[in-house]
């Protein structure tokens, strides 16, 4: 069931989103060649504690960390660990925060030091596709208007969208109805004012197919091509969507 948030609930999510944005800013400045991905996880734990939010991902369906770190051909759900980021890597950082019973969820992909032209373009196209999807999100349109805009944007640039993983509603639960696919699959529900959604295109430089790592968490591109991921949590209004984080 699709959940409509009250004004008071959106106020809490707005506050939660501001804190999560600050945590992401800290991660952005700390992501550089030589840092271990587990150090980024520690930063999320420390910053969340300092700012009074709970990291949403820790223990979610058994996920063992505060942050998902996915490098190069890793798409999503990478577990932080001993890997050391190298010049030329691209790294997707996906993180959630919970405040007063409500979650917000966001992701960015960052180049580590100097990166290839293809990697730069992939990052720009993924971020651009998220913007084009959000530009559709208003009271009274179909979920598919978001999905189709993202798919069209990505494919017009020669890249592909991941199909097995989608965006989602977010609020009291980290994952709520409705799913927000990044490609056209049918109309889906109508958007209504007060819906809060995590829109999150995952874009591959090669084909759209994925594979699951042996740890049963991390998702990689099937063909070994690079992948990028951007995510905002938004609130649907009668006009432009409000970006909560
Ligand atoms: Mg999400």
């Amino acid at each position: 069931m699709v959940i409509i948030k009250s004004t008071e609930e959106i106020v809490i999510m707005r506050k939660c989103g501001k804190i999560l944005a600050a945590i992401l800013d800290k991660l952005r400045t700390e992501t550089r060649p030589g840092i271990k991905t587990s150090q980024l996880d520690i930063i999320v734990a420390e910053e969340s504690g300092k700012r009074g939010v709970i990291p949403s991902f820790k223990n979610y369906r058994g996920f063992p960390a505060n942050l998902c770190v996915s490098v190069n051909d890793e798409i999503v759900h990478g577990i932080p660990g001993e890997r050391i980021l190298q010049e030329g890597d691209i790294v997707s950082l996906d993180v959630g925060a919970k405040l007063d019973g409500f979650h917000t969820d966001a992701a960015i992909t960052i180049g580590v030091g100097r990166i290839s032209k293809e990697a730069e373009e992939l990052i720009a196209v993924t971020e651009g596709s998220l913007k084009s999807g959000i530009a559709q999100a208003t009271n009274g349109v179909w979920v598919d208007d978001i999905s189709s805009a993202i798919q069209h944007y990505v494919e017009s640039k020669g890249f592909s969208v991941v199909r097995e993983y989608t965006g989602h509603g977010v609020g009291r639960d980290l994952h709520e109805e409705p799913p927000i696919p990044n490609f056209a699959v049918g109309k889906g529900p109508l958007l209504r004012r007060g819906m809060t959604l995590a829109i999150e295109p995952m874009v591959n430089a090669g084909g759209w197919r994925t594979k699951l790592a042996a740890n049963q968490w991390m998702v990689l591109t099937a063909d070994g091509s690079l992948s990028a991921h951007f995510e905002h949590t938004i609130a649907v209004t009668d006009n432009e969507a409000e970006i909560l984080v």
Side-chain angles (χ1 to χ4, degrees):
M1 196 186 73
V2 168
I3 301 161
I4 305 292
K5 275 74 178 185
S6 67
T7 307
E8 293 72 22
E9 289 170 334
I10 288 177
V11 167
I12 297 170
M13 289 185 69
R14 190 177 291 138
K15 198 171 157 196
C16 183
K18 282 212 171 91
I19 295 171
L20 185 56
I23 295 169
L24 273 168
D25 279 345
K26 178 77 176 167
L27 286 172
R28 200 182 270 114
T29 51
E30 297 295 331
T31 299
R32 55 176 184 274
I35 194 165
K36 230 184 244 182
T37 57
S38 59
Q39 288 173 271
L40 296 173
D41 190 63
I42 292 167
I43 289 168
V44 173
E46 287 175 352
E47 292 295 315
S48 298
K50 249 192 255 175
R51 297 167 191 274
V53 294
I54 298 165
S56 300
F57 296 176
K58 187 74 184 266
N59 299 324
Y60 181 80
R61 296 184 186 163
F63 188 75
N66 301 293
L67 168 74
C68 295
V69 183
S70 307
V71 184
N72 297 335
D73 62 332
E74 300 167 4
I75 302 170
V76 285
H77 306 162
I79 300 172
E82 295 304 302
R83 183 169 188 161
I84 294 168
L85 295 179
Q86 310 286 337
E87 175 100 19
D89 285 341
I90 63 169
V91 57
S92 299
L93 304 171
D94 187 357
V95 61
K98 187 180 190 187
L99 177 72
D100 296 341
F102 287 88
H103 297 273
T104 56
D105 189 1
I108 53 174
T109 298
I110 307 172
V112 182
R114 259 184 80 90
I115 60 171
S116 69
K117 209 91 215 105
E118 183 193 45
E120 261 175 29
E121 202 189 328
L122 177 68
I123 290 172
V125 167
T126 309
E127 193 167 20
S129 75
L130 176 55
K131 286 205 176 100
S132 77
I134 291 173
Q136 298 296 321
T138 191
N139 188 46
V141 308
W142 303 103
V143 165
D144 182 62
D145 292 311
I146 299 173
S147 308
S148 294
I150 291 171
Q151 180 178 22
H152 179 77
Y153 187 95
V154 168
E155 292 180 354
S156 74
K157 309 284 184 186
F159 296 130
S160 62
V161 286
V162 168
R163 301 185 179 207
E164 292 100 328
Y165 303 87
T166 69
H168 49 91
V170 57
R172 284 203 186 274
D173 288 315
L174 183 58
H175 294 113
E176 295 180 346
E177 292 294 311
I180 314 286
N182 298 302
F183 64 104
V185 272
K187 284 179 175 174
L190 275 175
L191 298 192
R192 290 292 176 215
R193 179 182 352 108
M195 284 169 67
T196 47
L197 308 172
I199 304 178
E200 50 175 324
M202 291 144 260
V203 177
N204 298 347
W208 58 266
R209 289 181 194 282
T210 68
K211 63 185 180 193
L212 192 60
N215 68 18
Q216 299 296 306
W217 276 110
M218 189 168 64
V219 180
L220 300 102
T221 59
D223 59 10
S225 65
L226 292 176
S227 189
H229 179 205
F230 280 84
E231 177 178 25
H232 281 305
T233 295
I234 65 153
V236 176
T237 76
D238 288 325
N239 302 299
E240 251 176 58
E242 179 183 351
I243 295 178
L244 298 172
V245 56

